[in-house]
């Protein structure tokens, strides 16, 4: 049920009647070329995003709008797409991405790893990480062009950092006022709401009350609150209650981002979390959640040397030498390949030495198990039962195993096991966060659960590129839902899955005229083959495009045709103020 948001009046409500007649004519009249439509999608099965059963039919598009749906035989169009044997649905809306860092860059601005899967709108600025300079961002992105539409949330972390740096303390009333005024300006420029990353610095230092005060500004504009919650491991229920409290007291619609119970000891907690959300919804709180369709979270090498992978389990004390010095040298730009290799070898040799010195080993162990004041280590937050080995060459037999289980099998202390592994194969790749599929399926059945990806936009890749080890979700999430959860596991009907990727997110965002195939709605459309659509990306080779998408249309302009990208950059940064 909606809360008390002030949503800007829909534009057409303010349009005088005479203009309505003109609009009617321009929607349904003949196009300048004498054709009935600009684009006609023929003979498809229309899965319209509502969750209703698919039906055979045609879709007529004129300008950026869907103008007719049904049996359109005999009608003509400048461009006809044959969808025989294919599904025609609204373009997918991904409520949780981190593509904002990439949309302004050449190559990745096409957002092709999403567009290719039929995604026509992405939500950016998640997990507390997103600019508050909305007007500037719109100019930057649309100046170069972007491949999909975007809806942007202000990252609370960006706001807090601008006002008080990363100091580990509560905000003063004056600082809260400053943050509220930054947020107010961003909302005036068209931000869609605000996100927090309450597990991360600096958001983790904010009290619930501070977040509520900030979020009230978002509520004044009818914006949404999205949260990477304070805990995704054993305290998910508590963290979910906090999101609900913020939604209730700030008067906003709220979204729990990438919902999960992400360590083995937390498996089985999802039913409790689902009950908490359902209880809140039944008393009128508008809270929903999204989930990426993988049972493992992001990760990195078991020991990050220069890579910034905060969730890796093995971190040395930041000041410990000679490692700090070596890391500095390794981060220098224009480092020769041979030099880098030599430095890395030196780093690992020094590490072997340090680990065989009892007092240094204890110091490292403290850093791994506890971390430093105000910066708890990954293991302190997540526990050894959170790390899943996903890529290993030398230790291939460990792929698919959880670090705590490996230690248990060997009847050894997890730190000792991992210290050996670090020396043996420093590039062994672990995901931090491992979920049970039963938990995922339990949440997936709820009618407030949407799908997202949590991924980045990557530069356009070629088949001949070297494999990149990373999470496959940026290239595979939507296709994976359709392959795994619909076609293979039959956990969802096709209509339900499409709804979770179209009208459900549109409804939550109150995104006008999107999320359904309906007359008068924006022509964001995907045509895909339900029998073949599938994800190709894996951890070991993460940058592989999904296949099975025949055509993608963004705002009435074709971006993918016969499965190929045509270079179109027709996306817009959609503004809440213009919604
Ligand atoms: Zn997150």
């Amino acid at each position: 049920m909606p809360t008390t948001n002030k949503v800007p009046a829909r534009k057409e409500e303010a349009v005088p009647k005479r203009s309505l007649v003109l609009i009617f004519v321009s929607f349904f009249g003949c196009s300048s070329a004498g054709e009935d439509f600009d684009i006609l999608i023929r003979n498809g099965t229309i899965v319209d995003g509502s969750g209703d059963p698919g039906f055979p039919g045609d879709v007529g598009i004129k300008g950026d709008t869907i103008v007719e749906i049904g049996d359109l035989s005999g009608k003509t169009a400048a461009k006809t797409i044959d969808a025989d044997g294919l599904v025609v649905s609204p373009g997918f809306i991904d409520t949780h991405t981190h593509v904002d860092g990439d949309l302004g860059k050449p190559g990745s601005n096409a957002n092709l790893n999403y567009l290719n899967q039929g995604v026509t709108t992405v939500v950016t600025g998640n997990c507390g990480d997103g600019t508050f300079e909305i007007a500037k961002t719109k100019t930057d992105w649309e100046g170069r062009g972007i491949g999909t539409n975007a809806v942007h949330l202000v990252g609370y972390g960006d706001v807090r950092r601008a006002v008080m740096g990363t100091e580990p303390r509560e905000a003063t009333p004056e600082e809260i006022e400053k943050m509220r005024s930054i947020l107010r300006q961003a909302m005036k420029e068209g931000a869609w709401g605000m996100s927090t990353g309450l597990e991360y610095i600096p958001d983790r230092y904010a009290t619930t009350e501070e977040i509520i005060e900030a979020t009230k500004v978002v509520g004044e504009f009818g914006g949404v609150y999205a949260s990477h919650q304070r805990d995704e491991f054993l305290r998910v229920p508590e963290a979910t209650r906090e999101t609900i409290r913020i939604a209730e007291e700030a008067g906003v619609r709220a979204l729990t981002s990438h919902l999960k119970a992400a360590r083995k000891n937390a498996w089985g907690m999802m039913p409790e979390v689902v009950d908490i959300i359902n209880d809140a919804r039944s008393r009128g709180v508008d809270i929903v959640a999204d989930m990426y369709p993988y049972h493992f979270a992001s990760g990195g090498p078991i020991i990050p040397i220069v890579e910034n992978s905060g969730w890796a389990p093995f971190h040395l004390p930041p000041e410990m030498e000679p490692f700090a010095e070596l890391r500095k040298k390794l981060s220098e730009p224009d480092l020769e390949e041979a030099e880098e290799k030599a430095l890395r070898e030196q780093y690992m040799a020094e590490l072997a030495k340090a680990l065989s010195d009892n007092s240094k080993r204890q110091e490292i162990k403290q850093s791994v198990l506890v971390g430093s004041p105000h910066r708890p280590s990954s293991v302190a937050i997540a526990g050894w039962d959170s790390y899943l080995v996903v890529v290993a060459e030398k230790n291939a037999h460990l792929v698919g195993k959880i670090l705590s289980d490996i230690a248990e099998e060997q009847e050894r202390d997890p730190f000792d096991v991992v210290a050996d592994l670090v020396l043996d194969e420093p590039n062994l790749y672990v995901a931090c966060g491992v979920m049970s599929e039963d938990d995922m399926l339990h949440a997936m059945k709820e009618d407030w659960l949407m799908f997202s990806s949590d991924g980045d936009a990557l530069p356009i890749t070629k088949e001949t590129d070297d494999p990149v080890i990373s999470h496959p979700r940026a290239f595979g999430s939507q296709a994976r839902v359709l392959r795994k959860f619909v076609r293979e596991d039959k956990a969802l009907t096709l209509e339900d899955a499409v709804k979770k990727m179209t009208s459900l997110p549109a409804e939550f965002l109150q995104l006008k005229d999107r999320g359904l195939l309906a007359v008068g709605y924006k022509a964001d459309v995907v045509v895909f083959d339900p029998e073949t659509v599938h994800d190709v990306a894996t951890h070991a080779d993460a940058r592989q495009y999904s296949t099975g998408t025949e055509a993608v249309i963004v705002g009435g302009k074709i971006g993918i045709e016969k499965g190929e990208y045509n270079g179109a950059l027709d996306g817009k940064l959609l503004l809440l103020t213009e919604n």
Side-chain angles (χ1 to χ4, degrees):
M1 260 205 291
T3 43
T4 54
N5 296 295
K6 289 175 204 145
V7 180
R10 290 192 168 203
K11 260 197 219 149
E12 69 265 25
E13 287 166 11
V15 174
K17 276 211 171 87
R18 189 182 301 228
S19 307
L20 275 180
V21 174
L22 291 175
I23 288 169
F24 185 86
V25 169
S26 72
F27 273 2
F28 298 101
C30 289
S31 78
S32 52
E35 311 280 3
D36 297 307
F37 309 113
D38 294 326
I39 303 171
L40 174 57
I41 307 170
R42 279 199 193 281
N43 303 322
T45 297
I46 296 176
V47 175
D48 67 4
S50 67
D52 293 344
F55 58 92
D58 313 318
V59 177
I61 294 167
K62 206 150 171 211
D64 66 356
T65 305
I66 296 168
V67 293
E68 218 174 330
I69 297 176
D71 180 358
L72 306 180
S73 43
K75 300 275 178 118
T76 62
K79 175 92 203 167
T80 300
I81 295 172
D82 181 15
D84 189 22
L86 307 176
V87 165
V88 186
S89 87
F92 302 140
I93 299 168
D94 188 325
T95 47
H96 192 94
T97 75
H98 291 280
V99 303
D100 25 335
D102 310 305
L103 286 186
K105 294 182 196 155
S108 51
N109 61 325
N111 209 7
L112 186 55
N113 44 303
Y114 284 97
L115 185 69
N116 155 273
Q117 295 183 75
V119 175
T120 53
T121 302
V122 292
V123 178
T124 60
N126 280 294
C127 303
D129 187 13
T131 180
F132 47 80
E133 295 185 311
I134 310 301
K136 180 180 178 302
T137 302
K138 185 168 173 74
T139 308
D140 288 353
W141 288 1
E142 292 182 11
R144 189 186 296 278
I146 51 177
T148 65
N149 297 316
V151 156
H152 184 74
L153 308 175
V154 176
Y156 189 63
D158 287 53
V159 177
R160 203 176 198 268
R161 223 176 283 118
V163 170
M164 51 189 297
T166 54
E167 283 181 53
R169 60 172 177 85
E170 292 178 18
T172 64
E174 294 74 35
E175 286 165 338
I176 292 177
E177 229 12 84
K178 271 189 199 159
M179 294 192 273
R180 282 166 52 90
S181 82
I182 291 176
L183 274 166
R184 188 167 291 115
Q185 179 58 32
M187 294 305 295
K188 278 184 187 161
E189 290 180 21
W192 217 274
M194 182 184 100
S195 77
T196 54
L198 295 175
E199 235 175 357
Y200 297 127
I201 292 167
D203 295 18
R204 61 182 296 119
Y205 305 134
T207 61
T208 310
E209 292 73 20
E210 177 188 322
I211 304 288
I212 290 168
E213 286 313 304
T215 308
K216 279 178 183 168
V217 174
V218 173
E220 285 165 21
F221 289 82
V224 300
Y225 172 74
S227 185
H228 173 133
Q229 300 187 137
R230 222 174 267 274
D231 190 272
E232 303 195 307
F233 304 98
L234 291 172
R235 296 193 303 275
V236 206
E238 218 173 301
T240 307
R241 281 194 199 96
E242 183 184 29
T243 306
I244 290 165
R245 184 180 156 206
I246 292 165
E248 272 187 301
E249 295 189 23
V252 292
R253 310 189 299 285
L255 166 63
T256 291
S257 299
H258 44 57
L259 180 67
K260 58 174 96 102
R263 63 186 282 183
K264 202 175 167 187
N265 290 344
W267 290 0
M269 288 181 98
M270 190 59 85
E272 183 187 346
V273 176
V274 164
D275 287 349
I276 290 169
I277 292 177
N278 279 329
D279 280 354
R281 288 175 61 84
S282 67
R283 62 171 193 272
V285 183
D286 198 341
I287 177 168
V288 299
D290 64 39
M291 172 189 278
Y292 50 79
Y294 295 86
H295 72 281
F296 40 79
S298 68
I302 192 163
I303 175 166
I305 298 181
V306 277
E307 298 86 354
N308 174 27
S309 115
W311 282 116
F314 211 86
H315 282 270
L316 301 178
E319 314 294 331
M320 192 182 235
E321 293 296 359
F323 308 104
E325 184 60 29
L326 286 169
R327 268 199 302 273
K328 220 165 100 190
K329 284 186 185 164
L330 273 160
S331 344
E332 271 165 25
D334 308 323
L335 200 62
E336 295 284 331
E337 211 182 306
E339 209 181 333
E340 187 189 336
K341 191 165 172 261
L343 283 168
R344 281 178 181 268
E345 276 167 11
Q346 197 189 339
Y347 194 99
M348 293 314 296
E350 291 288 352
L351 182 58
K353 241 196 281 174
L355 283 169
S356 59
D357 172 311
N358 198 36
S359 89
K360 283 195 177 138
R361 190 180 177 94
Q362 290 313 313
E363 216 185 311
I364 294 172
K365 190 169 179 178
Q366 174 79 3
S367 166
V368 168
L369 295 188
V370 183
S372 42
H374 306 299
R375 280 179 189 263
S377 71
S378 171
V379 173
I381 293 173
W384 289 117
D385 54 319
S386 287
Y387 304 95
L388 181 74
V389 179
V390 286
V391 184
E393 269 178 31
K394 233 172 143 182
N395 294 281
H397 63 289
L398 298 182
V399 172
K401 291 195 169 184
I402 296 170
L403 289 185
S404 58
D405 289 346
I406 297 169
E408 209 168 290
E409 273 169 31
Q410 297 181 10
E411 297 181 5
R412 294 174 68 206
D413 182 88
F415 174 81
D416 295 332
V417 172
V418 172
D420 286 356
L421 268 180
V422 163
L423 294 178
D424 189 42
E425 190 176 356
N427 286 330
L428 180 129
Y429 201 93
V430 291
C432 176
V434 54
M435 291 71 96
S436 99
E437 213 169 282
D438 284 346
D439 274 347
M440 292 173 68
L441 291 170
H442 186 91
M444 212 179 279
K445 300 239 152 66
E446 297 296 321
D447 61 6
W448 41 260
L449 194 284
M450 317 181 284
F451 287 113
S452 64
S453 64
D454 206 3
D456 302 324
L458 280 310
I460 295 173
T461 64
K462 296 186 293 296
E463 263 174 57
T464 49
D465 289 349
D466 286 338
V468 174
I469 298 178
S470 187
H471 201 294
R473 60 196 178 190
F475 281 70
S477 287
Q478 283 74 24
R480 183 176 165 91
V481 167
L482 297 171
R483 170 190 64 83
K484 178 175 166 53
F485 293 110
V486 175
R487 191 167 67 234
E488 291 176 5
D489 298 352
K490 300 189 170 32
L492 296 169
T493 64
L494 177 63
E495 285 82 355
D496 268 346
V498 168
K499 182 180 179 182
K500 286 173 181 296
M501 299 194 285
T502 55
S503 72
L504 206 54
E507 211 174 283
F508 170 71
L509 294 165
Q510 297 187 354
L511 195 52
K512 191 183 141 199
D513 299 343
R514 291 179 207 270
L516 285 175
L517 284 186
V519 171
Y521 271 60
K522 294 289 178 216
D524 292 347
V525 184
V526 53
V527 181
F528 62 91
D529 186 337
E531 300 303 324
T532 64
V533 61
H534 72 285
D535 48 319
V536 181
T538 61
H539 251 117
D541 196 354
R543 299 192 180 172
Q544 300 186 82
Y545 294 110
S546 294
T547 65
T549 304
E550 171 74 11
V552 183
I553 299 169
V554 178
K557 303 265 174 56
I558 296 174
I560 304 267
E561 191 177 0
K562 294 193 174 21
E564 298 291 328
Y565 177 50
N566 64 11
L569 294 167
D570 293 307
K572 297 262 183 297
L573 175 60
L574 306 174
L575 303 178
L576 183 57
T577 42
E578 292 176 1
N579 188 46

